[in-house]
Structures are given as C-alpha cells and as structure tokens.
Amino acid sequence: MEISVQNLTKVYGPQTAVDGISFEVKKGEIMGFLGPNGAGKTTTMKMITGYMAPTSGDVLIDGVSMREKSDQIMKKIGYLPENNPLYLDMPVLKYLRFIAELQGISKRSVNDQIKKMINLCGLNNEKHKKIAELSKGYRQRVGLAQAMIGDPEVLLLDEPTSGLDPNQIIEIRNLIKQLGSEKTVMLSTHILSEVEATCDRILIINKGTLVADGTPASLRQQSQVNEVLQVRIEESDEQVKVKLALEELETVLKITDLPGRKGGFKIESKSGDSSKKEVFNLCVKNKWILTEMIPLETSLEDVFRELTV
Amino acid sequence: MNKIWILARKELSSFFDSLVAYIIVILFIGIAGLFTWWLGNDIFLSRKATMDSFFAITPWILFFFIPAMTMRTFAEENNTGTIELLLTKAITDWQVIWGKFVACLILILITFAFTLPFYISIWWLGNIDHGAVWAGYLGLFLMSAAYISMGLFTSSVTNNQIVAFLLALIAGIFFHFIFGLLAGSFSGTTGEVLNFLSFTSHLQSMGGGVIDTRDLLFFISLTLLGLVLTESALAKRNVSD
C-alpha cells in the first residue's frame, strides 16, 4: 500500500500547523519523519491516520481518501499514537484481544496473532498483568504490539522507541527494519541516530512546511559544500613548518589546528576540490609520517540544525 | 453491529472490573427495596399489592446513578488520549457511541432484573396489576435511555469526569424537577410544553399502565438527540476554525 499526501494543510484558529505539504511513501520503504517540537509532525500523523480531517488537501492510502475512513483501509493501518495511550485497567492479553477484534481479525487467527505479538515484543512474562502495573518500557511494547497486530500493511509510529532500554531499542529497530521490507512504514522521532539506523528516507518538517526529503546520505551531501579532512602528521618539532607547507597547497582553503591534539589539523578544501592526494604527496616528499586522514562528513545533527534553526 | 458489541462488552467488563457495577446494583436494590417495602407507602399497612412506591423512588435513584455511570465513558478517553487509539481503528464514531450506549443500557437492565423479586413477591402477596408494572418498567427503561444519552454527551464534551457528572446532573435537574415545577406556575401552551418536557409526567402516565405513543416518542427522540449531540462533540476534532 502506498501513502500519498497531497497539499495537506491544517489550520487551528490563527495558527497554521501544517502548511501544504505533499509527499509519498511507497511499499517497502521506511520513512523517518523529523522536525523540532511543534513543527507539525504529530498533526500530520493524526491526519494521515484519519483521526483528524485536514483543513484542505488530502491523504490517499492506496488511492482511497482517508476522509472516507473506510473499514477496509482502517484495518490495514497500524498506528502508535503520540504518548502511547492505553487502557490501563485492562490486562495485556485482554487488551490485545480487544484491539484484534476491533481490527476485524478473523476469529481463527486472533489467538495466533496475539501469541505472535507477545513473543515479538517480549511480553510473555507480563501478559496477565494489568497495563497499569507495567513500567514505561513494557507499556511501549504493548503499544507497539497493538499497532502491529494483524500484520497491517501500513505502520505509522509516533516515537516508537521512547522509554525503551538500549537493548530493546536495537531489537525494535531490527523489527521495524525487517517489517519495513514488505510494509509501508512511517515513523516520527527526535532521535537522529535512530533515523540513520532504520530509515531509507528522511523527511524534515519545520514550521509546518517540508524542508528536506531524501536519503540520509543525500541529505548529508546536500548540506556539505566543501570537503573537510581531519589529518594528523607526527612531526612534533616542525608543527609550524608543516602547517605552512599545508597552507601552500593549491587545493586548500583553510587550515585550523585541532585543539588538544598534537600534530592534528582540520583542512577545508576549496569548493569542488579534494586535498587528499596533495596532503599525502606532501607528506611523502618531506618524509613526514601521516597517521590519520579522515574525511569528515556532515552529521545528520548538522543537517537538522541547519534546516530547522 | 459486531463492532458495537465488541466495544459494549469491553465497557461492561470495565464497569464490573472497577466495582462501579457492583456498587450501583447493590445500592440500587438496597434503596429501592427500602422504599418499596418499608419507608414508602408500606404495603403491609396499606394492604395494596402495587409497586407504586417502587416506581416513585426509582427515578430519583437513577437521577444520581446514571450520571455516575456515564461520566467516565468519554471523559476518561479524552483525558488519557485513548479516544485517538479507538477512533483510528476500524470502527466508526457512531459504532463507538452505540457501543458505550448499549453497555450502559445493559447495566441498567441488569439492575432492573435484580428488582424482579420485588415484583414476584408482591404478585405472590396479592392481586397485582401486571400491565401497570410492565408499563412502569418500560417507562423507567426509556427514561434511562434518554438520561444515558445525555450523560454520554456531557462526558464527550470534557476530559474531566467530575465536570461530566455535574453537567449530567444539571440536565437531570431540569428534566426531573424544574420543568415539572415550572409547568405548575404557567398556564396555557407554555405550561403544556414544560409539562411535556418533564420526565415525571411521562413516567406517571406510563406508571398508570397506559402506554401512550407521545410518551414513547418523547423518550426516544430525547435519546436520539443526546446521541447526535455526542457525535457532533466527537466530530469537533475535524472542524478547524
């Protein structure tokens, strides 16, 4: 199934929370939805799930508008809402059964589905407890289990790993990745390393408008203009001489010392040029010992800050 | 229909799990029994095999109990955010409303079922007017339906259960007392309209054993009005200013 968001807009009173955004998520794709607080992520998610009607624009899932809220589409969507709301007075098993029945899972497969989710989300020891008695991490697992029950073709997860311990985060990431190959997944998060680890595509939203759309690698490239190298040359006596020689290289734009690291420099090349060869050749010529040469990539954090601050 | 029943079953089991159901049933039987057999028109003294005192006291018990029953329905879901969970499943707003309505109505029916021994004992004691009893029960049932739908509405407009309870009680005060009282002090059309709006006048006419279409229509349309208002409160999330 394919999610197609067309010119989606939501206006609350004087405030435009989401301002005409359009994108598509294809089957087999895991889309990471990023943005600072209040950027409109959750509002967008709520409109995609059909909980809220957009002021204008539309969301189509497999060509069917979410304004119609048809049962056929709704039961193919697994949704983990923001803050993971749960019926705290229900025991885990009873709760999952309730959700499975609401989603119209056939009587024959309800038990199998519940068993599968209990195993998948590691809830076996907690399954008879009331949800109110569970810790935050276990509640999060219950939230994920209810979203994934019945193998929905579309998964919409609002901060899926919040409250989980590091081991669990890795498990859930792997699970999402594994599911993502056959489903359409969209997840929102604040954790940038998570997006890097799980998502094929990133969407960044700021103040209600889309500011970036692409793979993690392509976004990093886009925001980086010049090549930056971190090098270290083991010539303790001739630091100044080395620096001068480096500055004279044709391709080099700027050199800065790396504070606290003897013989370390940060070399920014001129636009479009690469200094790797030149630095290496210079060292060979002078018989300097080059112990480090690392191309510095812009991190997603840098991209995120650049686009949203 | 199936989805309505799935939700109604879940609501009912949370009534029983949270002890609300037991408290309501026990208090209801206790108070109604007290008034039917002893405090009201003591049937052993008056030597009349009627359930008049039961039908006189029950509306007042329901006046408090129904808001207590309905206050949680939507207000708690609004408060914890589970309403979003529910409405993004393969269930429509109307199915959610009917599910909760049916659950409350079933709890009321269970409560009434526990008062059947009163009926049977009086029947055994003397010559009871069966028509009047069943019409009286029907009147109570319809009144409960109308009052429940009002309670669902007041619960759907807030995320605070106390507010939901008090708003339903205020609506109840009007239908139980104020319309009836005011009807006495107005003559002509105003008086008739106010009298028509009062629960008491309809219950009295049904308690006499007469099932009038106007009484049925009054309670049924009030019920539907309450449910439509609830739906519009749920749909408000879609409206943007």
Side-chain angles (χ1 to χ4, degrees):
Chain A
M1 293 184 112
E2 199 180 289
I3 306 172
S4 168
V5 171
Q6 300 171 346
N7 245 322
L8 205 62
T9 302
K10 182 78 185 176
V11 182
Y12 295 113
Q15 195 192 357
T16 306
V18 176
D19 193 2
I21 66 173
S22 304
F23 60 87
E24 269 172 23
V25 193
K26 295 203 167 51
K27 189 181 163 175
E29 197 170 45
I30 303 177
M31 154 87 88
F33 198 37
L34 292 174
N37 292 326
K41 290 194 300 281
T42 296
T43 308
T44 307
M45 290 290 242
K46 283 182 177 171
M47 287 191 281
I48 295 175
T49 57
Y51 178 65
M52 253 183 204
T55 307
S56 68
D58 209 349
V59 176
L60 304 179
I61 291 188
D62 248 12
V64 181
S65 166
M66 283 309 284
R67 287 176 189 268
E68 288 174 24
K69 237 196 119 187
S70 84
D71 267 17
Q72 287 313 308
I73 297 292
M74 295 309 278
K75 70 185 198 189
K76 287 180 184 158
I77 299 177
Y79 176 39
L80 174 70
E82 194 193 22
N83 301 329
N84 186 22
L86 296 164
Y87 292 110
L88 297 181
D89 58 346
M90 290 178 101
V92 174
L93 278 179
K94 208 169 163 188
Y95 175 71
L96 291 179
R97 177 172 302 272
F98 170 64
I99 298 290
E101 284 175 350
L102 271 190
Q103 288 296 63
I105 297 168
S106 70
K107 277 218 164 60
R108 258 181 305 123
S109 48
V110 164
N111 283 329
D112 290 343
Q113 279 294 328
I114 293 174
K115 217 177 274 170
K116 190 173 149 196
M117 286 303 136
I118 294 275
N119 286 333
L120 209 59
C121 300
L123 286 164
N124 207 19
N125 294 327
E126 327 290 326
K127 64 186 172 193
H128 295 294
K129 286 190 190 163
K130 278 195 177 181
I131 296 174
E133 295 165 19
L134 302 180
S135 67
K136 188 163 187 262
Y138 276 107
R139 288 187 195 184
Q140 191 69 21
R141 298 187 203 191
V142 176
L144 282 165
Q146 68 80 22
M148 296 188 298
I149 202 160
D151 279 323
E153 291 176 44
V154 176
L155 268 181
L156 299 158
L157 309 171
D158 210 340
E159 311 212 10
T161 56
S162 82
L164 299 178
D165 63 53
N167 295 332
Q168 189 72 39
I169 288 179
I170 290 171
E171 278 173 42
I172 295 294
R173 273 184 198 162
N174 287 339
L175 184 65
I176 293 172
K177 259 185 148 166
Q178 190 192 322
L179 290 171
S181 57
E182 49 201 283
K183 293 184 196 303
T184 316
V185 184
M186 185 165 165
L187 60 93
S188 88
T189 178
H190 292 296
I191 308 164
L192 291 160
S193 60
E194 181 154 301
V195 178
E196 193 115 63
T198 39
C199 298
D200 311 315
R201 217 174 114 204
I202 297 180
L203 223 55
I204 300 179
I205 184 173
N206 189 33
K207 292 176 187 148
T209 51
L210 281 186
V211 289
D213 180 354
T215 62
S218 75
L219 287 188
R220 262 192 258 108
Q221 264 168 17
Q222 264 176 38
S223 81
Q224 188 167 32
V225 194
N226 299 335
E227 182 197 73
V228 179
L229 295 173
Q230 178 185 316
V231 298
R232 191 158 174 211
I233 296 164
E234 300 274 339
E235 293 305 317
S236 44
D237 318 327
E238 302 178 87
Q239 178 114 20
V240 183
K241 195 177 151 197
V242 170
K243 193 175 174 185
L244 276 173
L246 283 171
E247 264 168 358
E248 275 168 23
L249 290 176
E250 249 178 39
T251 55
V252 170
L253 181 71
K254 209 172 95 190
I255 304 241
T256 38
D257 289 310
L258 276 181
R261 302 197 54 185
K262 219 169 155 208
F265 303 99
K266 208 166 160 184
I267 303 174
E268 189 177 341
S269 309
K270 283 177 185 154
S271 162
D273 277 334
S274 170
S275 316
K276 288 175 197 154
K277 263 189 205 160
E278 278 72 11
V279 172
F280 181 75
N281 287 336
L282 181 75
C283 291
V284 170
K285 205 174 84 191
N286 294 309
K287 296 197 168 160
W288 292 336
I289 301 156
L290 180 67
T291 56
E292 224 175 72
M293 172 146 47
I294 306 167
L296 289 184
E297 285 189 317
T298 327
S299 68
L300 268 185
E301 268 90 358
D302 298 328
V303 178
F304 185 80
R305 282 192 60 79
E306 194 181 308
L307 289 168
T308 60
V309 171
Chain B
M1 197 61 213
N2 187 28
K3 294 279 165 68
I4 295 174
W5 178 235
I6 292 166
L7 184 65
R9 218 173 45 200
K10 181 234 155 210
E11 293 288 318
L12 265 178
S13 87
S14 90
F15 277 138
F16 282 96
D17 288 346
S18 64
L19 299 181
V20 172
Y22 299 104
I23 295 170
I24 286 183
V25 169
I26 291 168
L27 276 179
F28 187 92
I29 301 168
I31 300 172
L34 204 64
F35 278 86
T36 309
W37 296 101
W38 192 25
L39 289 179
N41 240 332
D42 191 326
I43 67 162
F44 297 109
L45 270 181
S46 66
R47 310 188 68 80
K48 268 191 255 168
T50 70
M51 286 186 77
D52 289 352
S53 38
F54 171 76
F55 289 119
I57 190 66
T58 309
W60 303 113
I61 311 175
L62 293 175
F63 167 65
F64 285 105
F65 280 10
I66 287 179
M69 211 165 81
T70 55
M71 66 179 192
R72 189 166 174 266
T73 47
F74 285 101
E76 198 191 28
E77 303 235 20
N78 288 337
N79 189 31
T80 59
T82 46
I83 191 76
E84 182 177 355
L85 191 81
L86 198 56
L87 295 178
T88 49
K89 299 296 171 203
I91 186 168
T92 62
D93 292 12
W94 271 113
Q95 284 171 326
V96 170
I97 295 167
W98 280 112
K100 288 179 183 276
F101 177 73
V102 167
C104 293
L105 215 50
I106 289 176
L107 184 55
I108 284 291
L109 282 176
I110 293 172
T111 317
F112 287 171
F114 279 100
T115 65
L116 287 178
F118 299 177
Y119 168 45
I120 294 164
S121 333
I122 296 174
W123 180 5
W124 182 65
L125 287 169
N127 224 344
I128 195 168
D129 181 351
H130 296 289
V133 171
W134 288 112
Y137 270 117
L138 180 65
L140 285 182
F141 175 74
L142 290 173
M143 188 214 83
S144 304
Y147 202 15
I148 287 169
S149 80
M150 281 182 218
L152 290 181
F153 170 60
T154 61
S155 185
S156 68
V157 293
T158 174
N159 54 19
N160 184 322
Q161 297 188 32
I162 312 277
V163 171
F165 176 77
L166 292 176
L167 285 177
L169 217 53
I170 290 169
I173 288 173
F174 273 90
F175 285 97
H176 278 284
F177 293 96
I178 296 185
F179 290 143
L181 282 177
L182 286 178
S185 39
F186 283 96
S187 56
T189 324
T190 325
E192 274 171 36
V193 168
L194 285 169
N195 193 47
F196 185 74
L197 285 173
S198 155
F199 280 171
T200 329
S201 67
H202 292 281
L203 286 174
Q204 269 165 3
S205 86
M206 293 187 80
V210 183
I211 299 176
D212 190 334
T213 341
R214 274 177 303 176
D215 298 330
L216 298 184
L217 279 178
F218 169 72
F219 284 127
I220 291 170
S221 40
L222 210 55
T223 308
L224 293 179
L225 177 70
L227 297 179
V228 168
L229 287 174
T230 311
E231 153 66 11
S232 68
L234 284 190
K236 229 181 73 188
R237 67 182 195 272
N238 291 332
V239 181
S240 37
D241 308 314

